[in-house]
Amino acid sequence: MTGFFDEQGFIDEAIAMIQESIPAPGKAIIACSGGVDSMVTATLASKAIGDRLLAIYVDSGLMRKGETDEVEAMMKNMGINYKVAHAADEYFDALKGVEDPEGKRKVIGEKFIRVFERHAREFGATYLLQGTIAPDWIESGDGVRDTIKSHHNVGGLPKDMNMTLVEPLRDLYKDEVRQVARKLGVEASERQPFPGPALAIRCLGEVTPEKVEIVREACFIVEDEIMKAVGNGEAVRPWQYFAVLLPSKSVGVQGDRRAYGYTVAIRAVDSIDGMTATFSKLPLEVLNRISVRITDTMKSQVNRVVYDITSKPPATIEWE
């Protein structure tokens, strides 16, 4: 983005907007994933309406390794009123047989709302806060723009949702959200983006617990090895970096025996606001360490690792 952005001015306006949109004694819940968008929204809302806000982190079974504990610690440190909703079985049941990316997003979007509605009733909330930012609604399309992909918090929302939606970050881009996060002292300010549908859209084809476990471990290895390389001065930290599990299998070799396993794709990109991106030119030695570690760790499941060298456009950052 270009031009001057007044973080404190935005914070003051956002708090006033939330207070006006959710007048006392109204209560609200927020879908809090632990990413910078939702954490900034939760922090602003907590300042605006205090304990009339309940932040709900949904453990969908689709999150990254250690994510639930990490997010819970962040919300505790920020003093936000929160609750963890465990709903993995619900999500996997709802995703059975669904292979189409748009279908996954809509299933997950509806499931999120249904989980939130249950907890909203218990809390007595009639408002739903979301960390929706400009790229979310731009890519989700409308009557004028084409739908690139339905973000679960926009195009994936069910039409019969019975809560009033409040989106204080709607006109911001990712770099501006990070500026606000730094001003607020939010721990997630430098956290790399993570999609709302989580690992479901990094697991191409039907989503199963077994496949999610594979891509969860692969994502952990990618993140860990890249951060080690950054710490050692071997690489510059990309804007976003992760693994994708492809739905097809290929022939490989383990020792002197034939193996038949999945392919994992590594994705790392550089961007400012997420609207465009270029693939990161990671050193070959770093990519080699990632490949060896993935195939050694999951010998019976993965036998091939590839690197995605496509920019956005023509690709999107996530594969689905």
Side-chain angles (χ1 to χ4, degrees), residues 246-297:
L246 304 192
S248 57
K249 291 185 175 183
S250 63
V251 175
V253 177
Q254 289 183 6
D256 58 355
R257 300 185 63 183
R258 178 185 186 273
Y260 194 54
Y262 287 109
T263 296
V264 164
I266 304 167
R267 180 74 160 145
V269 299
D270 298 312
S271 181
I272 295 174
D273 56 16
M275 295 301 294
T276 61
T278 56
F279 75 89
S280 300
K281 297 172 179 61
L282 293 175
L284 287 177
E285 182 52 41
V286 176
L287 292 172
N288 179 59
R289 289 201 297 266
I290 293 172
S291 175
V292 169
R293 185 170 164 188
I294 287 175
T295 52
D296 280 354
T297 302

Side-chain angles (χ1 to χ4, degrees), residues 148-188:
I148 298 171
K149 54 187 177 183
S150 295
H151 289 255
H152 80 288
N153 56 336
V154 183
L157 293 177
K159 291 184 171 28
D160 62 344
M161 183 181 73
N162 58 16
M163 287 185 284
T164 301
L165 197 59
V166 181
E167 299 173 317
L169 307 185
R170 186 175 176 82
D171 294 326
L172 298 193
Y173 289 83
K174 185 70 76 174
D175 56 322
E176 294 168 328
V177 179
R178 291 196 191 283
Q179 288 178 250
V180 174
R182 295 179 193 118
K183 189 75 173 178
L184 289 169
V186 173
E187 289 180 59

Side-chain angles (χ1 to χ4, degrees), residues 23-135:
K27 293 182 177 181
I29 60 170
I30 179 171
C32 200
S33 67
V36 65
D37 304 333
S38 63
M39 285 300 294
V40 165
T41 305
T43 303
L44 291 170
S46 184
K47 290 179 180 294
I49 63 174
D51 61 7
R52 291 190 287 124
L53 170 75
L54 177 64
I56 299 176
Y57 170 82
V58 180
D59 183 357
S60 61
L62 304 169
M63 308 308 284
R64 288 175 291 189
K65 194 171 184 177
E67 189 123 41
T68 299
D69 292 340
E70 185 179 348
V71 173
E72 190 169 5
M74 278 197 290
M75 289 194 285
K76 277 182 181 176
N77 291 341
M78 294 301 294
I80 297 169
N81 186 28
Y82 77 93
K83 182 177 185 178
V84 176
H86 298 282
D89 290 344
E90 286 185 57
Y91 279 83
F92 283 117
D93 286 345
L95 287 165
K96 277 181 182 174
V98 181
E99 297 185 5
D100 176 68
E102 282 294 289
K104 289 183 193 177
R105 288 175 176 273
K106 292 185 185 300
V107 165
I108 290 170
E110 175 160 5
K111 184 56 63 178
F112 266 118
I113 293 300
R114 300 312 173 208
V115 171
F116 295 143
E117 283 178 336
R118 288 202 303 270
H119 291 282
R121 284 193 295 271
E122 293 173 6
F123 186 59
T126 55
Y127 296 89
L128 173 64
L129 280 145
Q130 288 199 144
T132 305
I133 63 174

